[in-house]
Amino acid sequence: MIINLEVAQALAQKQPVVALESTIISHGMPYPRNVETALAVEKTVRDNGAVPATIGIIDGEIVIGMKPEEIEEFGKRKGICKVSKRDLPIVVAKKMWGATTVSATMLCAAMAGIEIFVTGGIGGVHRGAEHTFDISRDLEELGGCPVTVICSGAKAILDIPKTLEYLETKGVTVLSNKEKEFACFYSSSSGCPVDYAFTSPEEAASIIKAKKDLTLSGGILISNPVPEEFALPHEFIDSIIDKAVKEAEEQGIKGKEVTPFLLKKVVEYSGGKSLDTNIDLVLNNAKLGAQIAVSLAKLEKGIL
Ligand code: PSU
Ligand code: MN
């Protein structure tokens, strides 16, 4: 594992660090907006007082804190493996390039000692999971890995009520920023209640610290709804998602190809609107994640 100097120093000095994933770059958005977004997310984290650490695997080496040129390469290069937990040993042993999903990024962040991680939306229980058994590894990792994930809920292509049930089974604390409902990725709330709505980054950090002090295993999920001005109306996006899900079934898209396929189709059918919203929500999450990381670092140092 290679931890870049800035990140290593920040961790040694207990300064706030925010982990970022690379699947969203290689498999979640088209080039060049994927690279522009990844760099803008890093800048937002910095502007809010934390050090960004974009995580990926280069020639079999886990990199914690990629350089801008490396981020560019993750955005451009064809054939980068989408790495969930099960893929990690293969990609490392075979010295491959790997883009880490939420689950693999959580594992790598925990190995490096990073407690806060920002993304767009987690994977979850897929629609029709009662037939396909397609449930993202992300949920298991949230159940077991001590990292807090800040996101805009689970991607809207999923079954949100089932995803929340699964998180409850795994003992994952689900918090929401201000709203009492779980975020719905591209649109305003999902109508599904969360465990608790906090009103400030300090309050969220205090809950993260309490979990740690209680030595409870696993992560915390923080849902941050997309700001109203960027949200897409349910009537608009839901029918597009339904169409994309149907197409995936018809074309026999399975396993780890499902999420990238659906995201791509939704961008296509929404005339790029879903991509704009996806970028806006990630940037909004980066701001909140950095603020929570800053508050947590202060709490740990006893200065808050
Ligand atoms: N958030 C986004 N876009 C993405 C992802 C998250 O805004 O592409 C990625 C994350 O890496 C997440 C993955 O872990 O999608 C889920 O894939 P699956 O459903 O195959 O587990
Ligand atoms: Mn899956």
Side-chain angles (χ1 to χ4, degrees):
M1 190 161 81
I2 299 170
I3 305 185
N4 90 24
L5 190 62
E6 187 194 13
V7 175
Q9 278 175 349
L11 289 169
Q13 292 165 12
K14 306 218 176 301
Q15 300 289 340
V17 176
V18 171
L20 301 162
E21 60 151 312
S22 43
T23 289
I24 191 169
I25 307 174
S26 300
H27 302 280
M29 291 181 192
Y31 181 79
R33 294 194 70 195
N34 53 359
V35 174
E36 288 162 19
T37 305
L39 296 175
V41 166
E42 287 212 338
K43 183 175 182 305
T44 304
V45 169
R46 282 187 201 286
D47 290 348
N48 286 279
V51 173
T54 301
I55 295 177
I57 304 163
I58 300 179
D59 293 330
E61 194 82 52
I62 296 171
V63 177
I64 311 285
M66 287 195 228
K67 301 186 191 84
E69 317 81 87
E70 292 168 339
I71 290 178
E72 172 81 22
E73 194 59 28
F74 267 84
K76 264 204 284 211
R77 194 184 264 249
K78 298 271 172 268
I80 294 184
C81 182
K82 180 180 159 191
V83 177
S84 167
K85 183 182 182 183
R86 63 172 181 184
D87 310 293
L88 268 175
I90 304 170
V91 171
V92 168
K94 307 308 282 178
K95 305 207 182 313
M96 291 157 65
W97 281 60
T100 51
T101 59
V102 169
S103 79
T105 306
M106 285 182 80
L107 285 166
C108 296
M111 285 178 205
I114 305 173
E115 295 172 89
I116 304 291
F117 164 29
V118 164
T119 187
I122 56 162
V125 180
H126 278 262
R127 299 180 187 191
E130 59 275 30
H131 305 296
T132 61
F133 273 38
D134 193 351
I135 299 171
S136 176
R137 176 71 204 171
D138 295 356
L139 302 183
E140 296 292 327
E141 234 55 74
L142 277 161
C145 192
V147 172
T148 296
V149 180
I150 290 97
C151 64
S152 297
K155 279 183 286 291
I157 53 174
L158 301 163
D159 186 321
I160 308 294
K162 285 199 186 76
T163 299
L164 286 167
E165 280 299 336
Y166 203 87
L167 287 166
E168 186 270 329
T169 303
K170 296 290 163 185
V172 180
T173 303
V174 180
L175 306 174
S176 181
N177 186 19
K178 300 188 183 90
E179 309 250 343
K180 289 212 165 55
E181 288 178 13
F182 197 55
C184 198
F185 205 61
Y186 303 120
S187 337
S188 50
S189 62
S190 62
C192 302
V194 294
D195 301 330
Y196 185 74
F198 59 87
T199 55
S200 68
E202 294 77 22
E203 193 186 5
S206 71
I207 297 171
I208 297 169
K209 185 166 184 306
K211 182 199 142 271
K212 206 171 148 187
D213 293 345
L214 288 166
T215 68
L216 291 174
S217 62
I220 288 183
L221 183 62
I222 294 190
S223 149
N224 191 29
V226 63
E228 206 56 62
E229 62 267 37
F230 304 126
L232 297 177
H234 279 288
E235 319 81 71
F236 170 73
I237 199 70
D238 289 352
S239 59
I240 288 174
I241 293 170
D242 289 343
K243 191 172 159 196
V245 169
K246 210 163 151 246
E247 247 184 85
E249 276 165 19
E250 281 162 9
Q251 294 186 30
I253 309 288
K254 290 208 171 65
K256 62 159 116 174
E257 307 306 329
V258 173
T259 298
F261 176 91
L262 292 177
L263 289 174
K264 196 160 160 241
K265 285 288 167 198
V266 171
V267 172
E268 197 181 311
Y269 296 146
S270 67
K273 285 207 176 87
S274 70
L275 181 58
D276 293 339
T277 300
N278 200 345
I279 293 169
D280 293 328
L281 66 84
V282 180
L283 289 170
N284 189 49
N285 295 342
K287 182 176 174 196
L288 178 65
Q291 290 170 340
I292 292 173
V294 167
S295 297
L296 184 61
K298 284 187 185 161
L299 269 180
E300 303 269 10
K301 287 182 177 167
I303 52 172
L304 193 75

